[in-house]
């Protein structure tokens, strides 16, 4: 028999994959859980995917309820109040990266990003081994470059695309952006330290 939600949340807090867990309201009659995963939990997410991770947590805590809304995070500050928990539960799954820092030098931008654990694209790409799609990486580069470099948010041509390593939930990455104004091209590269994830040139007509 399934246990009540408050007891399940207490058990989640003691789980080997979890840093913290809080319950809240996801709607007029819906309940939800905001879960902060530790390094072991993020590794399990990489290995299993979101749905199987939640199934495993439900099984381990004895609370199986398909109506529960789950939100996954890598941090959950102790000072987070009930209103913020409810807001996270009400909000749709994120589509954008977390912007941690940004700097500009001689017209070149470098953005420190973190890939959200709960990114909306992961359940479909792929359900049991979440990977950030290449198309999303290109969309992010265009969207983040536009307000900083004045470049269009869409391109006509993609050149020299390289996808070298997988970007996974929770990964940190630096996105470098350079606008070649003479050739109407945006150069982008996702890297972290000596690890190269992807790069390419995105072009559009002069008009």
């Amino acid at each position: 028999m399934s246990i009540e939600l408050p007891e399940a949340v207490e058990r989640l807090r003691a789980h080997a994959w979890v840093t913290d867990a809080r319950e809240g309201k996801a709607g007029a009659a819906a309940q939800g859980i905001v879960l902060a995963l530790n390094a072991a939990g993020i590794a399990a997410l990489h290995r299993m995917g979101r749905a199987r991770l939640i199934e495993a947590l439900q099984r381990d805590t004895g609370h199986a309820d398909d109506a529960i809304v789950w939100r996954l995070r890598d941090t959950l500050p102790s000072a987070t109040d009930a209103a913020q928990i409810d807001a996270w539960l009400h909000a749709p799954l994120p589509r954008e990266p977390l912007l941690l820092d940004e700097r500009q030098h001689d017209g070149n931008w470098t953005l420190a990003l973190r890939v959200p654990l709960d990114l909306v694209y992961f359940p479909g790409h792929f359900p049991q081994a979440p990977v950030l799609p290449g198309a999303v990486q290109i969309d992010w580069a265009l969207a983040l470059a536009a307000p900083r470099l004045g470049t269009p948010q869409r391109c006509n041509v993609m050149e020299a695309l390289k996808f070298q390593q997988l970007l996974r939930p929770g990964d940190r990455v630096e996105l470098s952006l350079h606008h070649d104004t003479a050739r109407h091209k945006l150069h982008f590269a996702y890297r972290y330290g000596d690890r190269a994830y992807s790069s390419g040139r995105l072009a559009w007509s002069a008009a």
Side-chain angles (χ1 to χ4, degrees):
M1 185 175 179
S2 178
I3 64 172
E4 295 298 319
L5 184 60
E7 184 179 351
V9 171
E10 286 299 322
R11 292 185 182 184
L12 281 170
R13 292 190 182 113
H15 197 281
W17 295 344
V18 176
T19 300
D20 198 1
R22 298 277 297 277
E23 64 180 291
K25 296 179 180 179
Q31 293 178 300
I33 296 173
V34 176
L35 201 63
L37 298 179
N38 57 26
I42 294 173
L45 177 63
H46 290 182
R47 196 169 59 246
M48 305 169 69
R50 188 183 197 273
R52 290 177 60 196
L53 174 84
I54 291 172
E55 288 174 2
L57 290 170
Q58 289 177 323
R59 183 173 59 251
D60 292 348
T61 58
H63 184 82
D65 186 347
D66 293 338
I68 294 292
V69 174
W70 293 75
R71 291 292 182 265
L72 308 180
R73 300 178 58 85
D74 60 337
T75 60
L76 185 54
S78 58
T80 304
D81 61 18
Q84 180 61 72
I85 297 295
D86 292 351
W88 283 331
L89 291 168
H90 278 86
L93 294 178
R95 294 178 175 272
E96 309 299 332
L98 301 172
L99 178 60
L100 306 176
D101 190 22
E102 58 184 303
R103 58 188 184 275
Q104 185 265 142
H105 179 69
D106 289 340
N108 300 317
W109 285 85
T110 302
L111 281 62
L113 308 174
R114 187 174 181 88
V115 181
L117 297 184
D118 237 359
L119 197 70
V120 70
Y121 306 107
F122 286 141
H125 195 92
F126 300 92
Q128 296 182 11
V131 173
L132 184 65
V136 175
Q137 297 179 45
I138 293 169
D139 284 346
W140 285 359
L142 287 165
L144 292 166
R148 294 166 176 85
L149 295 169
T151 50
Q153 295 200 40
R154 294 187 178 183
C155 65
N156 297 327
V157 180
M158 294 178 284
E159 302 174 347
L161 291 180
K162 295 180 182 178
F163 295 98
Q164 297 158 278
Q165 300 198 52
L166 301 177
L167 274 169
R168 311 293 300 275
D171 281 349
R172 292 179 180 269
V173 67
E174 288 194 338
L175 170 61
S176 62
L177 299 167
H178 168 70
H179 182 201
D180 184 341
T181 56
R183 295 179 174 83
H184 306 285
K185 295 180 181 181
L186 173 68
H187 296 247
F188 77 91
Y190 290 90
R191 303 182 61 89
Y192 194 73
D194 59 358
R195 185 184 292 267
Y197 288 99
S198 64
S199 61
R201 298 188 298 269
L202 309 175
W204 47 88
S205 67

